[in-house]
Amino acid sequence: MIEVEGVSKRFGKVEAVRSVSFSAEDGRITGLLGPNGAGKSTTLRMLYTVLRPDGGRARIGGRDVVREALAVRRSMGALPHGAGLYPQLTARENIAYYGRLHGLEGAALARRIDDITRLLDLGEFIDRRTKGFSQGQRTRVALARALVHDPQHVLLDEPTNGLDVMATRALRQLILRLREQGRCVLLSSHVMQEVAALCDRIVIIAHGQVAASGTPDELRQRYAENDLEEVFVRAISRVGDPQ
Amino acid sequence: MKLLWTVVGKELLDNARDRRTLASALLFGPLFGPLLFAVLISVVIQQTVSDVERPVTLPVIGAEHAPNLVAFLERNGFDVQDWSKDAGAAREAVQAGREDVVLVIDPAFGERFQAGLPARVQLIQDASAQRAARNVNRTRSALGAYSSQLRAMRLQARGVSPEILSPVVIDDVDVSTATGRAALLLGMITYFLLAAMLMGGLYLAIDATAGERERGSLEPLLTLPVTRSTLLVGKILATCCYMLLSLVITLVAFAVGLSFVSLEELGMSANFGPEVVVLGFLLMAPFVLLGAALMTLVASFTKTYKEAQTYVGVLIVVPTLPILFAAFLSVKPSALLMTVPSLSQHLLMTALIRNEPVDPGFAALSVISTLALGVLVTWLATLFYRREGLMG
């Protein structure tokens, strides 16, 4: 369970996030949807404890992301935007490094890596150095790395960026599986169709604010509009840019 | 603690697979210094030795006016060449550097000599030409010797003891030991040791900070249940490992390289045996933490790999400044100077190579103050790493 209450963040004069509130439940896929620069990444960065909010508070699994940052990190796997790997290490070593930093070791770690290799279909390149991997391969390894400790909360920033059709499909299936296992999945995207196809709840963000939120059906009803894309356009145009 | 070693281990492995890091840590850094040094000393030796043995070529204008003087010069190792040119041509030749020195004998030399009057010769030379100084000095002292020989003979012919003209006798007593003279050159060794150490850690320090950020692997790393201080200290320790490795290789390379160079021919003896390698390692090693922390701190200020290379490259010059200062002012070790990193290592290391006793108190002061400063800079670097702007 992720709870966000009135969180805001500014960089100098720019208010990147202004009093954003929403929640993401366990066993549900929640999507942060918004145009580029809307504040999705900043919101996620505060949740995965890389940035500190200036105001408001956020809890993951009931723990405060600022005061209990280390505990939050233990129960969470994050895939930041454009997450990079260590090119001189093999895929397995990249994943094992994160596993060790999560306190896994020995046979338990090896078993966990084998499981995740099967789950994400990494077998073909698991023992190759990641230098020269395709974008799809890199994203899969980064995802495996984020899931190595079997986290309850999974935060994905634009996970399908740069993936081809097949890789996107595989990723979607994985995310659905995480939901089946009762995990709390929060992902961001600027692609309407993707969010519509995958998410149980949608939080539309524009100009650092929540423009609308609800299930796809709720949103359609509220705007009396069948086409989600129209809903999206109308929702974000409702929130003017105050700057 | 376990997490810290996980970070250290990963950085060591990651960089061990990077050819550039390895080459700079194990090859270029450690071997460049000793190699350059061996070549430099060999050249110096060759020049010094051959300078002493080679007869000085001395063009003489008007040799026929003073056959005795010419004969004296030839007996004293001068290759006298009878020049029919005039003094103007001689000036030109010296100015252009074709000749080191030209002796012009006055046509009236014989006449005045017979009359017991001061006879005149001209020594055409270029005082600004360093290379010629040796031959000029040898010519001048040979002429002086001829002159005083004649003086003594003339006085004796008149029944006067020549000693009456020497009220004061100056005896030069050269107290510089052979090892001491060598140390002037060998003082450069500390510089090479420091440079090799810093070069050894350079790429790892940059890769672990600016490189990590540029690759985009920093952000996911910061979402792990590890404090930023642990991550940074791990990176600094990994840098230290590479620097220590560079230091050992450089010390051994110097010991091996200097055993091939016959310093004795220069009248020097370098004390660079296994004992100096071990003691030198113990004296220089504390600098590793300071160097690694400084490089990491500077590299974590920068946004890209390239930018980091520029700034850390400049940083490598910094530890050489106190050494330069010491070379110009020829400072003596003191308690105060022992608190200055790089300078204290330089002074102690130089004493060690000179085969002089190393004050254990000074050594302890150097080790402790350098380590303390290293810990302080490490702490500053962790403070900086906690800053949000780190994400760029």
Side-chain angles (χ1 to χ4, degrees):
Chain A
M1 177 85 176
I2 299 173
E3 299 147 286
V4 183
E5 292 165 26
V7 158
S8 43
K9 180 75 189 173
R10 55 162 62 239
F11 299 109
K13 283 199 178 135
V14 182
E15 275 190 287
V17 173
R18 284 178 288 158
S19 192
V20 161
S21 303
F22 65 89
S23 64
E25 283 160 45
D26 288 350
R28 288 276 187 313
I29 302 167
T30 307
L32 290 180
L33 178 66
N36 289 326
K40 304 185 298 287
S41 284
T42 305
T43 304
L44 281 176
R45 279 170 138 188
M46 287 189 279
L47 292 178
Y48 56 67
T49 73
V50 169
L51 293 181
R52 273 167 173 266
D54 294 331
R57 61 186 203 146
R59 277 175 304 179
I60 293 183
R63 293 175 199 277
D64 190 275
V65 293
V66 176
R67 275 179 286 114
E68 298 164 281
L70 283 185
V72 165
R73 291 180 199 171
R74 266 182 216 110
S75 75
M76 169 197 79
L79 180 73
H81 184 64
L85 306 172
Y86 300 109
Q88 304 292 347
L89 300 185
T90 65
R92 188 189 296 278
E93 286 164 344
N94 265 288
I95 300 166
Y97 180 46
Y98 274 46
R100 284 197 199 96
L101 291 179
H102 270 295
L104 294 169
E105 57 189 350
L109 176 62
R111 212 169 30 245
R112 183 63 201 149
I113 293 177
D114 286 342
D115 286 350
I116 210 151
T117 301
R118 228 171 300 121
L119 186 70
L120 287 167
D121 197 19
L122 309 176
E124 210 182 309
F125 48 82
I126 186 77
D127 284 314
R128 263 178 31 208
R129 291 197 196 171
T130 62
K131 201 179 193 167
F133 272 22
S134 72
Q135 181 61 44
Q137 290 171 324
R138 277 209 295 273
T139 304
R140 269 144 85 190
V141 175
L143 196 59
R145 190 171 71 169
L147 299 177
V148 66
H149 57 298
D150 215 0
Q152 173 61 25
H153 306 94
V154 181
L155 283 70
L156 312 168
D157 194 1
E158 308 260 358
T160 54
N161 240 15
L163 295 189
D164 60 23
V165 179
M166 288 313 286
T168 306
R169 212 178 134 95
L171 180 69
R172 205 179 293 149
Q173 274 159 4
L174 174 81
I175 292 170
L176 289 172
R177 239 173 106 158
L178 289 171
R179 174 175 68 180
E180 273 167 41
Q181 293 170 346
R183 316 220 181 224
C184 172
V185 181
L186 177 63
L187 60 88
S188 77
S189 176
H190 61 271
V191 184
M192 178 70 230
Q193 291 77 4
E194 184 176 289
V195 173
L198 203 56
C199 297
D200 305 307
R201 274 185 69 84
I202 301 175
V203 180
I204 298 176
I205 292 189
H207 306 300
Q209 285 171 292
V210 176
S213 71
T215 64
D217 284 339
E218 281 170 6
L219 287 173
R220 283 193 194 96
Q221 269 175 15
R222 197 174 317 154
Y223 287 89
E225 186 71 64
N226 256 334
D227 185 0
L228 263 180
E229 196 165 297
E230 277 303 314
V231 172
F232 178 51
V233 170
R234 279 174 53 193
I236 62 174
S237 60
R238 216 166 48 93
V239 187
D241 185 352
Q243 282 161 18
Chain B
M1 209 54 198
K2 197 179 258 169
L3 294 180
L4 182 65
W5 293 120
T6 302
V7 176
V8 174
K10 178 257 155 194
E11 294 296 347
L12 290 180
L13 176 69
D14 194 354
N15 282 277
R17 289 194 184 151
D18 188 8
R19 266 190 231 121
R20 185 172 44 177
T21 312
L22 266 198
S24 110
L26 310 183
L27 226 62
F28 303 145
L31 297 185
F32 173 72
L35 215 67
L36 181 77
F37 197 76
V39 169
L40 211 73
I41 288 208
S42 298
V43 169
V44 169
I45 288 176
Q46 246 173 15
Q47 241 178 12
T48 319
V49 173
S50 55
D51 272 4
V52 173
E53 286 164 357
R54 198 175 44 208
V56 179
T57 309
L58 181 63
V60 178
I61 297 173
E64 66 278 8
H65 305 306
N68 284 335
L69 171 58
V70 170
F72 176 84
L73 289 173
E74 278 176 339
R75 272 201 306 280
N76 282 281
F78 286 85
D79 179 11
V80 175
Q81 288 176 342
D82 200 349
W83 261 26
S84 49
K85 297 172 187 163
D86 62 355
R91 271 208 187 90
E92 247 171 61
V94 172
Q95 220 155 34
R98 286 195 299 277
E99 299 294 343
D100 289 345
V101 57
V102 176
L103 181 67
V104 183
I105 300 175
D106 191 22
F109 188 93
E111 214 173 287
R112 289 179 72 90
F113 190 84
Q114 295 295 331
L117 293 169
R120 209 168 276 281
V121 297
Q122 257 183 357
L123 209 53
I124 300 175
Q125 52 133 337
D126 180 357
S128 65
Q130 288 281 337
R131 199 177 44 83
R134 195 179 184 86
N135 286 346
V136 173
N137 283 339
R138 281 187 64 186
T139 313
R140 177 173 288 131
S141 63
L143 290 170
Y146 181 66
S147 174
S148 61
Q149 191 184 326
L150 284 173
R151 187 194 312 145
M153 277 161 65
R154 284 181 181 175
L155 287 172
Q156 261 169 344
R158 285 162 180 78
V160 180
S161 164
E163 283 174 12
I164 202 158
L165 279 184
S166 306
V168 178
V169 178
I170 304 165
D171 283 333
D172 280 325
V173 182
D174 187 359
V175 293
S176 74
T177 59
T179 325
R181 246 171 294 158
L184 211 67
L185 265 173
L186 301 180
M188 280 164 59
I189 288 180
T190 343
Y191 165 71
F192 285 122
L193 287 174
L194 285 172
M197 271 199 279
L198 292 171
M199 282 279 287
L202 174 73
Y203 282 111
L204 205 158
I206 294 176
D207 188 73
T209 52
E212 177 111 85
R213 179 161 52 191
E214 200 168 51
R215 256 185 266 122
S217 58
L218 178 61
E219 194 164 330
L221 185 65
L222 296 181
T223 69
L224 300 180
V226 186
T227 61
R228 293 191 185 188
S229 312
T230 308
L231 290 174
L232 190 78
V233 172
K235 288 165 188 291
I236 290 178
L237 287 181
T239 310
C240 287
C241 291
Y242 272 66
M243 291 174 74
L244 287 174
L245 201 59
S246 286
L247 174 62
V248 172
I249 296 175
T250 317
L251 280 168
V252 172
F254 265 120
V256 172
L258 287 179
S259 70
F260 283 115
V261 179
S262 49
L263 284 169
E264 288 71 22
E265 283 191 56
L266 269 181
M268 302 171 171
S269 68
N271 174 27
F272 217 112
E275 198 188 330
V276 173
V277 171
V278 173
L279 285 176
F281 177 78
L282 294 177
L283 285 177
M284 302 292 290
F287 188 79
V288 161
L289 179 63
L290 178 60
L294 265 179
M295 289 196 291
T296 306
L297 178 64
V298 171
S300 56
F301 263 103
T302 57
K303 293 240 183 288
T304 63
Y305 203 101
K306 257 197 168 147
E307 201 186 339
Q309 256 179 321
T310 312
Y311 288 115
V312 181
V314 172
L315 187 70
I316 285 196
V317 184
V318 173
T320 65
L321 296 181
I323 298 181
L324 218 67
F325 156 83
F328 275 121
L329 299 181
S330 66
V331 292
K332 287 260 172 270
S334 70
L336 184 67
L337 293 182
M338 283 304 129
T339 60
V340 182
S342 101
L343 182 58
S344 71
Q345 277 83 20
H346 170 69
L347 293 173
L348 292 169
M349 200 62 205
T350 309
L352 201 62
I353 298 171
R354 280 172 100 134
N355 222 354
E356 286 171 3
V358 173
D359 187 330
F362 279 4
L365 199 57
S366 158
V367 168
I368 290 169
S369 63
T370 305
L371 275 180
L373 204 60
V375 170
L376 181 73
V377 177
T378 304
W379 177 70
L380 280 178
T382 60
L383 280 192
F384 189 78
Y385 214 64
R386 255 177 254 161
R387 193 184 64 112
E388 218 163 58
L390 183 69
M391 294 312 309

